[in-house]
Amino acid sequence: MWKTILRRVLLMIPQIFVLSLFIFIIAKAMPGDPFTGLINPNMDPATIDRMREAAGLNNPWYVQYFDWITNAFKGDFGQSFLYKLPVSDIIGSRVGNTIYLSLLTVIITYAIALPLGLFSGRYQNSWFDKAVVVYNFVSFAVPIFIFALLMLFIFGYRLEWFPTTGSVATGLEKGSMAYVMSRLYHMILPAITQALLATAVTIQYLRNEVIDAKQLDFVRTARAKGVPTNKVFTHHIFRNASLPIAAQLSYEITALISGSVVIEQTFAYPGIGKLFIDAINGRDYSVITAIVLILGVVTIIGNLISDIVMSIVDPRIRIQ
């Protein structure tokens, strides 16, 4: 296994290189530059050209890419044109919010998906199973931005149960219990919103696993020996069907971190997703390329961890 893991890690190097090159080319293909729309239109064109020259924007693209990628490996993603701060500092101040939101979303997702998926598969074709199938179809069909706006309108503005913006109330001492509870309170609505749609894949996967497991030989043998039905499902079917879900946990977290753009923008939650949208609107290419590169690397690492965990928890699966 260790040789396979080492091979996969080495394979990540060209993957990251191709990813970084693709990100840089796409960013350079976007119209305008960081100075477009952010400078005085009456400014002398020669002054504008000197600003672009100082920022290295007049260099050939391959020179710009080499400078960017070498600095990126050192943790230096350049200076933000929009915030006038180092990009690494800006991302560092936001990444914690996104990680906490993603972790809470995963907890809520599994709290909903595990019982629904397992019992839906156990009681196949019952009214409960049909209701879960309908819920899955709706979850797959509803666009996340529409659902997020609906949740924000109902529970944020109409009922006023949850805050509609920010990540913590103002005036609280950082590290205090009130500060922690306020952060949790601000995350509940966006986490529930994202989790209600994210459960569909896990529910469907679990339901199919349980239905397939009921037909396996060892389950039939247990039933033939007179093992009670509840014990068969608890000790054999449920455990067997839940192993792959546990292995997918790392992939779920990385997927939520990468896909938090819509949720954070809708709820004005100051995380990586909202920072990414603000950077696009402000043509802040240094921030855009840094965020996409980081999320891409996190996704690659998450896939590797998911494969490793899958091979550990389920002896029938081995990384090839």
Side-chain angles (χ1 to χ4, degrees):
M1 174 181 285
W2 291 109
K3 291 182 179 180
T4 304
I5 294 175
L6 179 61
R7 188 165 59 248
R8 287 289 302 273
V9 171
L10 293 177
L11 184 62
M12 288 170 53
I13 296 176
Q15 289 178 336
I16 294 175
F17 169 74
V18 173
L19 174 66
S20 65
L21 183 61
F22 180 76
I23 291 170
F24 185 83
I25 292 175
I26 292 298
K28 287 301 176 183
M30 295 174 63
D33 58 38
F35 296 103
T36 304
L38 299 179
I39 56 179
N40 188 343
N42 298 321
M43 186 179 294
D44 182 18
T47 303
I48 298 175
D49 190 65
R50 284 195 298 270
M51 294 171 62
R52 290 193 172 98
E53 182 69 30
L57 298 178
N58 291 337
N59 294 332
W61 70 269
Y62 51 86
V63 175
Q64 296 183 47
Y65 170 76
F66 180 79
D67 293 339
W68 172 69
I69 197 63
T70 51
N71 291 329
F73 278 115
K74 301 175 185 177
D76 180 12
F77 293 98
Q79 191 87 358
S80 169
F81 293 93
L82 191 61
Y83 298 96
K84 310 302 181 184
L85 293 170
V87 174
S88 56
D89 292 346
I90 300 172
I91 295 177
S93 65
R94 301 286 192 97
V95 69
N97 291 337
T98 297
I99 292 176
Y100 293 143
L101 177 60
S102 299
L103 289 175
L104 181 59
T105 302
V106 167
I107 293 173
I108 297 175
T109 299
Y110 276 68
I112 297 173
L114 288 178
L116 291 183
L118 292 174
F119 286 101
S120 176
R122 175 175 180 176
Y123 303 106
Q124 185 183 6
N125 297 325
S126 65
W127 66 267
F128 179 82
D129 179 41
K130 293 177 181 178
V132 171
V133 171
V134 171
Y135 166 71
N136 270 5
F137 281 137
V138 173
S139 298
F140 277 120
V142 175
I144 187 171
F145 65 93
I146 297 294
F147 186 65
L149 289 174
L150 185 63
M151 294 286 286
L152 180 64
F153 176 75
I154 295 176
F155 297 102
Y157 290 105
R158 297 291 294 182
L159 300 178
E160 298 182 354
W161 289 358
F162 300 98
T164 57
T165 59
S167 62
V168 66
T170 58
L172 298 178
E173 182 181 356
K174 190 173 183 179
S176 63
M177 181 58 65
Y179 180 88
V180 174
M181 296 306 297
S182 177
R183 292 202 67 172
L184 179 62
Y185 183 48
H186 280 73
M187 289 191 297
I188 290 177
L189 185 57
I192 291 177
T193 301
Q194 194 170 11
L196 287 175
L197 297 185
T199 55
V201 175
T202 305
I203 290 173
Q204 190 63 35
Y205 185 81
L206 267 176
R207 178 180 179 273
N208 295 338
E209 284 289 316
V210 171
I211 293 174
D212 292 340
K214 288 191 296 185
Q215 309 300 323
L216 295 177
D217 292 338
F218 71 90
V219 174
R220 294 178 178 178
T221 302
R223 284 175 172 172
K225 290 181 178 180
V227 179
T229 302
N230 288 335
K231 191 173 183 179
V232 171
F233 274 91
T234 303
H235 289 75
H236 298 286
I237 296 178
F238 283 6
R239 184 180 298 178
N240 184 76
S242 300
L243 285 176
I245 297 299
Q248 291 183 8
L249 180 60
S250 59
Y251 176 76
E252 291 282 349
I253 295 176
T254 55
L256 287 172
I257 292 176
S258 303
S260 62
V261 175
V262 175
I263 291 294
E264 291 183 3
Q265 184 68 15
T266 303
F267 290 93
Y269 184 81
I272 294 296
K274 188 176 186 306
L275 176 63
F276 183 66
I277 296 297
D278 294 340
I280 291 176
N281 293 332
R283 295 181 175 87
D284 199 346
Y285 297 134
S286 299
V287 176
I288 295 172
T289 52
I291 291 177
V292 177
L293 179 62
I294 291 173
L295 293 180
V297 172
V298 167
T299 302
I300 293 174
I301 295 175
N303 290 334
L304 174 62
I305 295 175
S306 179
D307 290 341
I308 294 173
V309 175
M310 179 81 76
S311 66
I312 294 174
V313 301
D314 192 342
R316 297 171 302 175
I317 299 174
R318 291 292 180 264
I319 301 178
Q320 300 298 326

